[in-house]
Amino acid sequence: MRRKPSVHDLRSQKGRRKWVQLHVDTPAEAAAAEAADIVILSCEPDHNLGPIRAAAPSAFISAGMPHGAVSSPQEAIRLGFDILNRGADAVYCSHSPLFIEAMAREAIPVTGHVGLVPNRATWTNFRAIGKEPEEAFKALRAVKDIENAGAAFVEVEVVPVKLADFITRNTAMITMGMGCGSACDTQYLFSSDVLGTNTGHYPRHSKKYADFAALDAELQQKRVAAFQAFADDVDSGAYPEGRHQVEMEDAAFERFLTLSRTI
């Protein structure tokens, strides 16, 4: 088993290595990523965080702080430490730099987010960010604000390749790229897109390597068929058969009846 990298390990390799990164939803996905030698994972800080940590002991895990879960820098520090104590190596935070700085001052590794930020998409809609120069500059300024706040990583989502490359070359943070070509320090996708578990919209930058949704649908059909066959057997008397039940010798049952009369 490889040694789990630290923030120092990752940042010391910036510009010399590109990492594969996956957002995983289950311990089984985390174990598969570990087996595939994927170094950087992300996940939600829900009940699966501990099991995901156990399933991928040598992965660096950035766990998301739910947007709106905290309303003060002090609460961010408290929740940040809680997420670390539950197994994460960094805390994803789409809150303002004020919250990022509070955690960073306590040496909590933080992942910020620029470009298409789903939690803030009401201001932009779900689209590429930074195709126009003014918007590109705004994204760069957001990167610098996050960096100056002390973040170690920044997710860069759905921005033009040239902008993502400029950002990556002009920040000490590890850039986690999704929908940015191959410009960033990590190549980041969601497991639901890679595995094809998503039954809704697939974004342009996604690539489906399996069709788990079809497999799940087939399994569901088999579940229904098996349950229906069981119900039909019960209705017809075909189940249970003699081999499915326990019998009692007649003499033993007669003795039982005699004993039962004493009650």
Side-chain angles (χ1 to χ4, degrees):
M1 185 181 70
R2 64 175 183 260
R3 181 178 68 86
K4 183 179 70 172
S6 65
V7 173
H8 177 78
D9 293 333
L10 295 175
R11 295 185 72 173
S12 66
Q13 296 180 71
K14 179 180 171 66
R16 297 189 291 113
R17 177 176 177 181
K18 190 174 295 291
W19 295 273
V20 177
Q21 180 176 357
L22 275 174
H23 182 96
V24 297
D25 296 314
T26 67
E29 291 178 357
E34 175 108 344
D37 291 327
I38 294 175
V39 175
I40 301 178
L41 302 179
S42 64
C43 68
E44 300 302 321
D46 57 17
H47 65 282
N48 277 320
L49 174 55
I52 284 173
R53 171 79 282 166
S58 63
F60 187 94
I61 298 175
S62 177
M65 176 181 288
H67 194 73
V70 294
S71 59
S72 71
Q74 291 71 31
E75 289 181 355
I77 293 169
R78 175 190 53 76
L79 184 54
F81 275 125
D82 177 67
I83 291 171
L84 293 186
N85 289 335
R86 292 169 54 210
D89 301 293
V91 177
Y92 166 88
C93 179
S94 58
H95 295 75
S96 75
L98 179 68
F99 294 80
I100 293 173
E101 182 176 11
M103 288 188 284
R105 283 180 178 274
E106 300 301 326
I108 297 172
V110 182
T111 302
H113 197 164
V114 299
L116 174 56
V117 184
N119 291 320
R120 299 179 177 179
T122 190
W123 297 97
T124 62
N125 287 337
F126 285 88
R127 60 173 177 83
I129 303 297
K131 294 174 71 174
E132 300 300 325
E134 292 78 13
E135 192 172 63
F137 178 73
K138 185 177 179 181
L140 175 63
R141 187 168 59 187
V143 169
K144 287 304 177 181
D145 288 345
I146 290 170
E147 181 175 29
N148 290 336
F153 311 92
V154 61
E155 182 177 342
V156 183
E157 184 170 351
V158 194
V159 306
V161 175
K162 289 180 180 178
L163 175 57
D165 180 62
F166 186 91
I167 289 171
T168 299
R169 287 187 290 105
N170 288 276
T171 180
M173 295 183 292
I174 296 292
T175 58
M176 298 172 163
M178 182 179 290
C180 303
S182 57
C184 294
D185 295 312
T186 81
Q187 190 64 66
Y188 184 18
L189 281 180
F190 278 71
S191 62
S192 56
D193 293 335
V194 173
L195 296 176
T197 59
N198 179 15
T199 57
H201 170 71
Y202 279 81
R204 175 174 54 187
H205 58 263
S206 68
K207 184 174 181 180
K208 185 162 61 173
Y209 290 83
D211 194 350
F212 276 38
L215 293 174
D216 285 343
E218 182 180 352
L219 284 173
Q220 184 66 4
Q221 290 177 348
K222 291 182 180 296
R223 289 186 188 98
V224 173
F227 291 166
Q228 187 63 63
F230 167 55
D232 290 345
D233 271 3
V234 171
D235 289 343
S236 68
Y239 178 87
E241 302 172 36
R243 61 193 176 96
H244 299 126
Q245 56 199 29
V246 178
E247 299 296 343
M248 189 176 185
E249 296 291 337
D250 289 344
F253 187 64
E254 289 298 328
R255 174 60 178 161
F256 160 73
L257 291 175
T258 299
L259 293 173
S260 70
R261 296 186 188 102
T262 64
I263 297 176

